[in-house]
Amino acid sequence: MSVTDPILRVALPLPLPRLFDYRAPGTEAATQDWIGRRVRVPFGPRELVGVVAEVGPAEDGTHELREILACLDDAPLLHGELADSLRWLSRYTHAPLGEVLATALPAALRRGEPLPDTHAWAWRLTEAGATHLPALRAGTRPRRFADLVQAAGLHGEDALDVAMDDWRTAARALAKRGIVERVAIPASQLAPTPQPGPTPNDEQAAVIETIRAAQSGACTGFMPLLLDGVTGSGKTEVYLQAIADCLARGRQALVLVPEIGLTPQALARFRARLGVPVHALHSGLNDNERARVWAAAWRGEARVIVGTRSAIFVPLPQAGLIVVDEEHDASYKQQDGIRYHARDFALVRGKALDVPVLLGSATPSLESLHNANAGRYAHLRLTRRAGNAQAPRVRVLDVRKRPLDAGLSVELLEAIRDTVDRGGQALVFKNRRGYAPVLLCHDCGWSAHCHRCSTPEHNSPMTVHAGGRRLQCHHCGARQAVPKACPDCASLALQPQGNGTERIEETLARVFADVPVVRVDRGSTRRKDALERHFDTLGDRPGILIGTQMLAKGHDLPNLTLVAVVGIDEGLFSADFRAGEKLAQLLIQVSGRAGRAEKPGEVWLQTHHPEHPLLQTLIHGGYHAFAEQELAQREAAGFPPFAHLALLRAEAKHADAPMMFLREAKQAFADADQTITDQTIAIHGPLPAPMPKRAGMHRAQLLVSSNERRQLHRLLDSALPVLYASPEARKVRWSLDVDPVDLY
Ligand code: ADP
Ligand code: ZN
Ligand code: ZN
C-alpha cells in the first residue's frame, strides 16, 4: 500500500472526541463503501468494535497505522438519515461520535454480533389439512383454530394472540396431526387485519383530519404537531388513526412512550387495533430481543415500533410518522452517558426523514407549549373526555390543625370508606416511598443520615423501610439495620418521622381490613411483571391502591373513582426552577386517573397550603392557566425555554478536585467568550451541586446559559478541547449536559 492510499476513520466507543485511523485489511481498498459498517479493530492491547465514519486521505505516518481486523457487516448498518442524525446528535451533545453510535446501537450489535434473523412466525393449513378440515368436530378449539388459519390463508402469531385465547395448545395438537404448520415469513408480508375503533367525536375528527393532511403531503412532509388533550380525551385513538393511515401508505410508524406507559394492556390495544405485528422495545427485553427489533426496523419489516426512550434510535428506512406520547415525561431525557432527549431527537429525525412528528400530552412541557405559541408547532386541542367519561371533580382539603393518621385526615379516610362501600377503588398518591423519610432521636435530636451522601454542611437523611426495621439511602442505595439505640446519646427513643407509602399502607390495611390494599412503588415492583400483577390482584373489586408517581399513568383502571393526593407540600417550595411544572403535571396526571370510564371521579388534594398560588391557579384555571403564568415567570427570570443551558458536572472522591476542574473550565469558557463577539453568555458557578456528595463522591457544577442557542454551542465548541486536554480533568469524572432537565 502506498502512503497516499485512503484510510478508514473509525468511531470507537471511547471518551475521546476524535476518530481513529486504520488501514483496510490486507489488499482491500478503503473505499466509501466502508462507511457505516461495523469493524473490529486493535486498540492498544485490546480489541474494540467501532463504526467506520469517514474515508479520507492518509496523513503523516500512515505506514504505522494498524489494520482493521475484520469487517462485521455485509452492508452498511448505519447510513442515510440515521447516520446523519446521529452525527447531529454528537455535535449537539458535544459527545464523541463513537460514544453516540454505541448508545444508538443495541448491546448485541455494539459487541459485534451479527445482525439477527427477523422473520415473523405464522400458521397455515397443510395440504392434508385442507382435506381434513371438514372432519374436525365443529365448535371445538382445534376446529376454531383451523378455521381462523384457513380464513386468513397465513395467520400471524401476533394476530392469533388477539383472535383466540390460548391458541397454542390447539395449534400444537393440530400440528402433531399434520393439519397445520408453522412457517417463518418476513413480518411485512402479513396483511393488516385491523379492528375498528370507536367513531371519532368532532374534536378527534378535526385533529385526525389535520394529521392526515400532514401525512399525505398536502403540506410538507415534516410537521411538528402538539396534540394537547386532557386525560381520557382520546389521544391514543388519534395516534391509532394516524398510524393506520401511515400503514395504509406502506410506511413505518415509531411510537415513543414513557418508561411506565408501555404496559401489556397498552400493547394489546395497539396490536388489536392495527392488526399488524407491533414491535415493542423496552428495558424488559434481553439483548437478543432488542437486537431483533432493531434489525426488523432496519430491514423495514417492523411496521410499527412502540418503545421507550432508546427506541428513538431505530432505523426507519420507510418512515411515515413519529409519535411521542406523554411528551412532557422526564423519562425521555437520558440522565447519564449521552444525555440526549428522545423527544427533541424525535423532532430532529422527523425533520431529516421529512415526516410528521406528533407530540401528545395532557400536560405539555413548557418547551412544547412555547413552541406552539410561537407557531412553530401546530397546536391541536382535545378539550373534553371522549365517550361518556366526565372530568373528575377536584376539591382541596385544608388540613391545618387537623389530626392526621399517617398523614391522612379523618375526612379523607371517610371518603375512602365511602368509595369502597360503593364498590369503587381509591388511589392514595404519595411521592415518598419507604416507611418514613427520617429516623429521629426524640431525646437529643440526632437523625440517621447516609455517610456516603452527607457532608458537614449537608445531611442526607436515610429513609426508614421494612416497617421500621431498615434504613436505606435513596441516592446511593446504602442499607443498614435501624440501630437499637441512638448512636449519640444511647436513648431508645428513636422515632420514624413523616410518612412514606409503606406507612400509609400499614395504616390503611389496618383501617380497611375488609378490602385489598395494594402498594405500587419502586420498592414493590422490582420484578418485570410486578406492576401488572399488582393490578391483577386488585381486579375490579373494591379496594385501595397506594403509590408514588409510578401510578400517574399506565394501566387503565375503570373502577377507580377516588384519587387522594397527600404530601405534595414539599414540592410547592422547591428551589428547582422546574419544580412547579413537574408538580403541576403530576397533579393533573394523577387526577386524570379518576373516573376514566362511566363512573364519575373525584380528586381530593390534602394540603397545609390551600392558598398556594400554584394550587389556586391549577384548580381554578387548569393546566394552561398555570403554564401561561409559569412561562411569563421563566421569561422574566431568563430560564428555559427563553434561555439555553448547559451544565458541566464534575465529581471526585477528593473534595477539592471537582471545584479545581470547574474553575479551570470557567477560565476556558471565559477565554472562548472573548472570541465570541456577542455578549449573550452567562456563567454561574462553579458551585457545589445541590446534592454536594453522593455515594462517596464530592460533586460540583458550572452552569452556562445563553439566550441564543447558537452562541452557547459555539462557546462549547471552542472551550471543550481545552477541557479534554486538561490535567485537572483526569482527576475527576466530568460530563456535559446540554439542555439539562435536572440541575441536580
Ligand atoms: P387518552 O389517550 O387521551 O388518555 P384514550 O384514547 O385512551 O385517551 O381514550 C380514553 C377512553 O375513551 C378509552 O377507553 C377509549 O377507548 C375511549 N374513547 C376514545 N375515543 C372515543 C370515542 N370517539 N368514542 C367513544 N369512546 C372513545
Ligand atoms: Zn439521641
Ligand atoms: Zn447515600
Side-chain angles (χ1 to χ4, degrees):
M1 139 163 204
S2 84
V3 249
T4 54
D5 278 345
I7 47 125
L8 303 173
R9 301 220 161 87
V10 180
L12 293 176
L14 296 168
L16 297 167
R18 45 170 291 210
L19 301 174
F20 297 84
D21 296 351
Y22 290 89
R23 284 192 287 131
T27 55
E28 288 186 50
T31 61
Q32 295 290 322
D33 267 11
W34 281 84
I35 294 178
R37 291 176 206 243
R38 290 174 301 156
V39 290
R40 195 181 297 284
V41 298
F43 190 83
R46 291 186 289 163
E47 285 182 12
L48 293 175
V49 173
V51 178
V52 178
E54 289 172 13
V55 174
E59 283 156 24
D60 298 342
T62 312
H63 53 282
E64 282 163 26
L65 286 183
R66 298 169 82 176
E67 265 184 26
I68 274 170
L69 298 172
C71 175
L72 304 176
D73 296 310
D74 300 335
L77 205 59
L78 291 171
H79 60 95
E81 174 276 329
L82 184 54
D84 293 343
S85 293
L86 291 172
R87 274 175 221 275
W88 176 91
L89 188 61
S90 162
R91 288 195 301 275
Y92 190 82
T93 55
H94 300 267
L97 182 62
E99 290 198 308
V100 170
L101 299 185
T103 303
L105 286 175
L109 299 179
R110 203 184 312 153
R111 284 195 299 268
E113 289 171 24
L115 201 64
D117 259 359
T118 48
H119 45 246
W121 290 101
W123 290 80
R124 68 176 171 213
L125 288 188
T126 59
E127 243 171 73
T131 45
H132 269 88
L133 180 66
L136 291 171
R137 192 140 58 84
T140 61
R141 298 180 56 79
R143 175 63 187 262
R144 258 182 62 212
F145 179 81
D147 282 341
L148 274 175
V149 166
Q150 190 195 31
L154 198 58
H155 209 311
E157 294 197 343
D158 257 55
L160 279 167
D161 284 339
V162 176
M164 184 173 168
D165 289 340
D166 191 27
W167 55 266
R168 281 168 207 272
T169 318
R172 261 197 304 272
L174 291 175
K176 234 184 235 155
R177 295 166 58 187
I179 295 173
V180 296
E181 60 185 352
R182 190 176 188 228
V183 285
I185 52 159
S188 51
Q189 195 180 316
L190 292 169
T193 44
Q195 277 171 21
T199 312
N201 60 33
D202 293 350
E203 280 189 332
Q204 284 171 314
V207 165
I208 290 166
E209 211 32 65
T210 309
I211 302 169
R212 193 164 285 158
Q215 289 206 60
S216 65
C219 319
T220 54
F222 171 61
M223 182 167 182
L225 304 134
L226 177 60
L227 178 55
D228 179 346
V230 300
T231 356
S233 59
K235 294 185 292 298
T236 310
E237 282 306 322
V238 171
Y239 305 152
L240 288 166
Q241 285 281 352
I243 297 166
D245 287 347
C246 166
L247 293 175
R249 291 184 305 115
R251 312 239 122 223
Q252 292 173 292
L254 170 64
V255 183
L256 298 185
V257 293
E259 218 85 70
I260 34 191
L262 192 52
T263 59
Q265 202 186 25
L267 270 179
R269 185 170 170 195
F270 271 75
R271 293 202 163 112
R273 282 290 304 288
L274 296 171
V276 293
V278 170
H279 290 72
L281 201 52
H282 54 85
S283 55
L285 302 183
N286 65 34
D287 285 356
N288 284 338
E289 292 167 322
R290 296 181 70 85
R292 272 175 57 91
V293 174
W294 197 92
W298 185 85
R299 296 193 173 107
E301 291 169 5
R303 310 310 296 175
V304 183
I305 302 120
V306 183
T308 50
R309 183 175 60 229
S310 65
I312 192 53
F313 295 124
V314 298
L316 295 168
Q318 296 154 33
L321 176 71
I322 302 177
V323 175
V324 184
D325 185 28
E326 310 286 4
E327 64 87 28
H328 67 279
D329 196 274
S331 73
Y332 287 128
K333 172 80 179 187
Q334 166 102 351
Q335 299 284 15
D336 51 31
I338 306 299
R339 291 158 201 263
Y340 66 93
H341 199 301
R343 175 200 60 215
D344 297 348
F345 193 49
L347 287 155
V348 170
R349 292 202 65 193
K351 183 155 193 208
L353 289 163
D354 208 24
V355 301
V357 180
L358 180 57
L359 310 178
S361 176
T363 53
S365 63
L366 294 187
E367 276 82 1
S368 295
L369 279 176
H370 178 58
N371 280 320
N373 292 343
R376 284 187 287 270
Y377 298 175
H379 197 170
L380 315 174
R381 302 284 298 264
L382 297 174
T383 59
R384 295 188 309 271
R385 285 196 167 187
N388 296 322
Q390 283 170 15
R393 222 161 48 104
V394 180
R395 52 178 292 187
V396 175
L397 189 59
D398 180 358
V399 287
R400 281 173 295 186
K401 299 190 191 146
R402 307 277 182 102
L404 300 175
D405 189 356
L408 308 174
S409 63
V410 177
E411 290 88 340
L412 195 58
L413 290 172
E414 280 168 4
I416 296 174
R417 169 52 68 196
D418 260 18
T419 303
V420 295
D421 281 353
R422 275 184 280 127
Q425 294 172 345
L427 183 162
V428 177
F429 172 83
K430 169 86 193 186
N431 222 5
R432 257 177 201 278
R433 65 197 173 89
Y435 188 78
V438 179
L439 182 71
L440 186 76
C441 171
H442 197 52
D443 286 344
C444 77
W446 171 88
S447 68
H449 56 267
C450 175
H451 296 287
R452 305 174 67 215
C453 299
S454 299
T455 61
E457 297 80 32
H458 181 272
N459 261 357
S460 182
M462 287 191 103
T463 303
V464 186
H465 277 254
R469 292 189 305 281
R470 192 177 69 227
L471 294 174
Q472 198 171 316
C473 172
H474 285 184
H475 300 291
C476 73
R479 291 168 166 224
Q480 67 184 71
V482 163
K484 295 225 160 45
C486 170
D488 272 10
C489 76
S491 157
L492 296 179
L494 293 180
Q495 293 175 354
Q497 297 286 309
N499 304 291
T501 46
E502 272 187 36
R503 193 181 214 167
I504 295 177
E505 177 190 20
E506 185 187 87
T507 301
L508 290 174
R510 180 168 38 78
V511 178
F512 299 96
D514 50 331
V515 296
V517 173
V518 179
R519 175 168 57 89
V520 179
D521 58 28
R522 220 168 347 129
S524 74
T525 48
R526 261 193 221 106
R527 292 200 27 205
K528 215 172 166 181
D529 55 346
L531 194 58
E532 281 307 300
R533 298 213 307 188
H534 282 316
F535 291 124
D536 288 347
T537 313
L538 199 58
D540 284 338
R541 291 179 295 164
I544 303 170
L545 274 165
I546 302 144
T548 55
Q549 58 196 13
M550 280 189 91
L551 276 182
K553 61 199 131 218
H555 199 103
D556 226 356
L557 299 159
N559 220 10
L560 183 66
T561 51
L562 174 68
V563 168
V565 180
V566 299
I568 46 141
D569 290 358
E570 302 112 43
L572 292 171
F573 301 99
S574 165
D576 175 4
F577 77 89
R578 283 190 216 270
E581 178 183 358
K582 284 186 208 154
L583 183 61
Q585 289 166 342
L586 196 58
L587 286 176
I588 301 280
Q589 296 281 347
V590 178
S591 305
R593 305 299 314 251
R596 287 277 282 176
E598 307 283 309
K599 300 190 177 180
E602 241 184 55
V603 178
W604 285 43
L605 245 168
Q606 191 189 276
T607 175
H608 284 91
H609 303 280
E611 309 301 334
H612 193 285
L614 184 148
L615 295 181
Q616 287 296 321
T617 311
L618 210 51
I619 286 159
H620 298 296
Y623 182 75
H624 288 86
F626 158 80
E628 206 172 291
Q629 265 183 21
E630 191 74 7
L631 275 169
Q633 281 173 20
R634 295 260 188 102
E635 183 161 27
F639 279 127
F642 301 93
H644 306 281
L645 306 182
L647 187 65
L648 189 62
R649 296 185 176 90
E651 59 175 36
K653 286 237 163 62
H654 193 287
D656 297 333
M659 287 297 274
M660 302 256 287
F661 166 71
L662 291 176
R663 270 187 218 113
E664 201 181 74
K666 184 170 187 166
Q667 190 57 50
F669 285 131
D671 293 345
D673 198 7
Q674 307 268 306
T675 62
I676 294 169
T677 47
D678 201 19
Q679 294 295 318
T680 54
I681 305 265
I683 302 178
H684 315 271
L687 287 169
M691 197 175 166
K693 192 178 167 199
R694 182 171 187 162
M697 302 288 268
H698 295 269
R699 312 161 78 229
Q701 58 192 36
L702 183 70
L703 184 68
V704 189
S705 95
S706 170
N707 45 15
E708 270 220 46
R709 204 190 282 281
R710 277 227 332 273
Q711 294 289 14
L712 179 66
H713 283 272
R714 277 180 52 196
L715 181 73
L716 294 173
D717 279 335
S718 41
L720 279 177
V722 182
L723 299 192
Y724 274 107
S726 148
E728 293 300 326
R730 255 154 254 148
K731 300 177 194 155
V732 299
R733 268 211 311 248
W734 67 275
S735 64
L736 178 71
D737 190 349
V738 176
D739 305 335
V741 165
D742 227 325
L743 297 187
Y744 283 65

PDB file of all heavy atoms in Angstrom, residues 468-482:
ATOM      1  N   GLY A 468     -40.008  -0.146  59.580  1.00  0.00           N
ATOM      2  CA  GLY A 468     -39.244   0.470  60.657  1.00  0.00           C
ATOM      3  C   GLY A 468     -37.997  -0.305  61.042  1.00  0.00           C
ATOM      4  O   GLY A 468     -37.317   0.040  61.995  1.00  0.00           O
ATOM      5  N   ARG A 469     -37.648  -1.344  60.304  1.00  0.00           N
ATOM      6  CA  ARG A 469     -36.502  -2.162  60.694  1.00  0.00           C
ATOM      7  C   ARG A 469     -35.218  -1.833  59.932  1.00  0.00           C
ATOM      8  O   ARG A 469     -34.132  -2.168  60.362  1.00  0.00           O
ATOM      9  CB  ARG A 469     -36.834  -3.643  60.510  1.00  0.00           C
ATOM     10  CG  ARG A 469     -37.893  -4.153  61.472  1.00  0.00           C
ATOM     11  CD  ARG A 469     -38.023  -5.669  61.395  1.00  0.00           C
ATOM     12  NE  ARG A 469     -38.277  -6.138  60.041  1.00  0.00           N
ATOM     13  CZ  ARG A 469     -39.481  -6.104  59.451  1.00  0.00           C
ATOM     14  NH1 ARG A 469     -40.526  -5.613  60.097  1.00  0.00           N
ATOM     15  NH2 ARG A 469     -39.645  -6.551  58.218  1.00  0.00           N
ATOM     16  N   ARG A 470     -35.351  -1.173  58.772  1.00  0.00           N
ATOM     17  CA  ARG A 470     -34.169  -0.983  57.948  1.00  0.00           C
ATOM     18  C   ARG A 470     -34.031   0.485  57.533  1.00  0.00           C
ATOM     19  O   ARG A 470     -35.035   1.179  57.344  1.00  0.00           O
ATOM     20  CB  ARG A 470     -34.281  -1.842  56.699  1.00  0.00           C
ATOM     21  CG  ARG A 470     -32.997  -1.948  55.902  1.00  0.00           C
ATOM     22  CD  ARG A 470     -33.174  -2.870  54.712  1.00  0.00           C
ATOM     23  NE  ARG A 470     -34.057  -2.286  53.729  1.00  0.00           N
ATOM     24  CZ  ARG A 470     -35.062  -2.928  53.146  1.00  0.00           C
ATOM     25  NH1 ARG A 470     -35.316  -4.178  53.451  1.00  0.00           N
ATOM     26  NH2 ARG A 470     -35.815  -2.322  52.264  1.00  0.00           N
ATOM     27  N   LEU A 471     -32.789   0.929  57.369  1.00  0.00           N
ATOM     28  CA  LEU A 471     -32.529   2.265  56.838  1.00  0.00           C
ATOM     29  C   LEU A 471     -31.982   2.119  55.427  1.00  0.00           C
ATOM     30  O   LEU A 471     -31.210   1.212  55.148  1.00  0.00           O
ATOM     31  CB  LEU A 471     -31.499   2.995  57.705  1.00  0.00           C
ATOM     32  CG  LEU A 471     -31.936   3.340  59.129  1.00  0.00           C
ATOM     33  CD1 LEU A 471     -30.765   3.927  59.915  1.00  0.00           C
ATOM     34  CD2 LEU A 471     -33.098   4.334  59.095  1.00  0.00           C
ATOM     35  N   GLN A 472     -32.389   3.038  54.561  1.00  0.00           N
ATOM     36  CA  GLN A 472     -31.963   2.930  53.171  1.00  0.00           C
ATOM     37  C   GLN A 472     -31.741   4.331  52.615  1.00  0.00           C
ATOM     38  O   GLN A 472     -32.507   5.251  52.902  1.00  0.00           O
ATOM     39  CB  GLN A 472     -33.078   2.230  52.403  1.00  0.00           C
ATOM     40  CG  GLN A 472     -32.654   1.653  51.090  1.00  0.00           C
ATOM     41  CD  GLN A 472     -33.775   0.788  50.513  1.00  0.00           C
ATOM     42  OE1 GLN A 472     -34.405  -0.005  51.225  1.00  0.00           O
ATOM     43  NE2 GLN A 472     -34.044   0.957  49.235  1.00  0.00           N
ATOM     44  N   CYS A 473     -30.674   4.468  51.808  1.00  0.00           N
ATOM     45  CA  CYS A 473     -30.426   5.758  51.174  1.00  0.00           C
ATOM     46  C   CYS A 473     -30.973   5.711  49.750  1.00  0.00           C
ATOM     47  O   CYS A 473     -30.585   4.853  48.960  1.00  0.00           O
ATOM     48  CB  CYS A 473     -28.929   6.065  51.151  1.00  0.00           C
ATOM     49  SG  CYS A 473     -28.552   7.537  50.186  1.00  0.00           S
ATOM     50  N   HIS A 474     -31.864   6.627  49.407  1.00  0.00           N
ATOM     51  CA  HIS A 474     -32.477   6.615  48.085  1.00  0.00           C
ATOM     52  C   HIS A 474     -31.540   7.163  47.006  1.00  0.00           C
ATOM     53  O   HIS A 474     -31.850   7.113  45.837  1.00  0.00           O
ATOM     54  CB  HIS A 474     -33.791   7.401  48.096  1.00  0.00           C
ATOM     55  CG  HIS A 474     -34.895   6.644  48.759  1.00  0.00           C
ATOM     56  ND1 HIS A 474     -36.189   7.092  48.818  1.00  0.00           N
ATOM     57  CD2 HIS A 474     -34.905   5.434  49.385  1.00  0.00           C
ATOM     58  CE1 HIS A 474     -36.936   6.208  49.465  1.00  0.00           C
ATOM     59  NE2 HIS A 474     -36.178   5.206  49.824  1.00  0.00           N
ATOM     60  N   HIS A 475     -30.408   7.705  47.427  1.00  0.00           N
ATOM     61  CA  HIS A 475     -29.486   8.273  46.447  1.00  0.00           C
ATOM     62  C   HIS A 475     -28.394   7.294  46.046  1.00  0.00           C
ATOM     63  O   HIS A 475     -28.018   7.230  44.888  1.00  0.00           O
ATOM     64  CB  HIS A 475     -28.864   9.552  46.981  1.00  0.00           C
ATOM     65  CG  HIS A 475     -29.889  10.591  47.301  1.00  0.00           C
ATOM     66  ND1 HIS A 475     -30.615  11.221  46.327  1.00  0.00           N
ATOM     67  CD2 HIS A 475     -30.361  11.061  48.481  1.00  0.00           C
ATOM     68  CE1 HIS A 475     -31.471  12.057  46.889  1.00  0.00           C
ATOM     69  NE2 HIS A 475     -31.334  11.980  48.195  1.00  0.00           N
ATOM     70  N   CYS A 476     -27.870   6.533  47.013  1.00  0.00           N
ATOM     71  CA  CYS A 476     -26.774   5.633  46.673  1.00  0.00           C
ATOM     72  C   CYS A 476     -27.131   4.181  46.925  1.00  0.00           C
ATOM     73  O   CYS A 476     -26.348   3.287  46.628  1.00  0.00           O
ATOM     74  CB  CYS A 476     -25.516   6.008  47.441  1.00  0.00           C
ATOM     75  SG  CYS A 476     -25.594   5.591  49.182  1.00  0.00           S
ATOM     76  N   GLY A 477     -28.294   3.938  47.512  1.00  0.00           N
ATOM     77  CA  GLY A 477     -28.719   2.558  47.721  1.00  0.00           C
ATOM     78  C   GLY A 477     -28.181   1.924  48.996  1.00  0.00           C
ATOM     79  O   GLY A 477     -28.479   0.766  49.277  1.00  0.00           O
ATOM     80  N   ALA A 478     -27.369   2.657  49.778  1.00  0.00           N
ATOM     81  CA  ALA A 478     -26.809   2.082  51.010  1.00  0.00           C
ATOM     82  C   ALA A 478     -27.940   1.618  51.934  1.00  0.00           C
ATOM     83  O   ALA A 478     -28.986   2.254  52.015  1.00  0.00           O
ATOM     84  CB  ALA A 478     -25.943   3.123  51.724  1.00  0.00           C
ATOM     85  N   ARG A 479     -27.706   0.493  52.623  1.00  0.00           N
ATOM     86  CA  ARG A 479     -28.716  -0.055  53.532  1.00  0.00           C
ATOM     87  C   ARG A 479     -28.070  -0.435  54.849  1.00  0.00           C
ATOM     88  O   ARG A 479     -26.918  -0.859  54.864  1.00  0.00           O
ATOM     89  CB  ARG A 479     -29.309  -1.349  52.963  1.00  0.00           C
ATOM     90  CG  ARG A 479     -30.157  -1.149  51.769  1.00  0.00           C
ATOM     91  CD  ARG A 479     -30.420  -2.496  51.139  1.00  0.00           C
ATOM     92  NE  ARG A 479     -31.504  -2.346  50.175  1.00  0.00           N
ATOM     93  CZ  ARG A 479     -32.515  -3.196  50.053  1.00  0.00           C
ATOM     94  NH1 ARG A 479     -32.587  -4.256  50.814  1.00  0.00           N
ATOM     95  NH2 ARG A 479     -33.450  -2.978  49.166  1.00  0.00           N
ATOM     96  N   GLN A 480     -28.795  -0.338  55.915  1.00  0.00           N
ATOM     97  CA  GLN A 480     -28.325  -0.861  57.201  1.00  0.00           C
ATOM     98  C   GLN A 480     -29.522  -1.075  58.109  1.00  0.00           C
ATOM     99  O   GLN A 480     -30.605  -0.538  57.861  1.00  0.00           O
ATOM    100  CB  GLN A 480     -27.323   0.104  57.837  1.00  0.00           C
ATOM    101  CG  GLN A 480     -27.941   1.424  58.252  1.00  0.00           C
ATOM    102  CD  GLN A 480     -26.899   2.388  58.789  1.00  0.00           C
ATOM    103  OE1 GLN A 480     -26.071   2.905  58.037  1.00  0.00           O
ATOM    104  NE2 GLN A 480     -26.944   2.636  60.091  1.00  0.00           N
ATOM    105  N   ALA A 481     -29.300  -1.863  59.166  1.00  0.00           N
ATOM    106  CA  ALA A 481     -30.381  -2.101  60.110  1.00  0.00           C
ATOM    107  C   ALA A 481     -30.600  -0.829  60.921  1.00  0.00           C
ATOM    108  O   ALA A 481     -29.668  -0.045  61.136  1.00  0.00           O
ATOM    109  CB  ALA A 481     -30.024  -3.254  61.029  1.00  0.00           C
ATOM    110  N   VAL A 482     -31.815  -0.613  61.380  1.00  0.00           N
ATOM    111  CA  VAL A 482     -32.084   0.519  62.265  1.00  0.00           C
ATOM    112  C   VAL A 482     -31.373   0.261  63.591  1.00  0.00           C
ATOM    113  O   VAL A 482     -31.482  -0.827  64.149  1.00  0.00           O
ATOM    114  CB  VAL A 482     -33.609   0.666  62.475  1.00  0.00           C
ATOM    115  CG1 VAL A 482     -33.912   1.535  63.684  1.00  0.00           C
ATOM    116  CG2 VAL A 482     -34.262   1.231  61.229  1.00  0.00           C
TER     117      VAL A 482
END
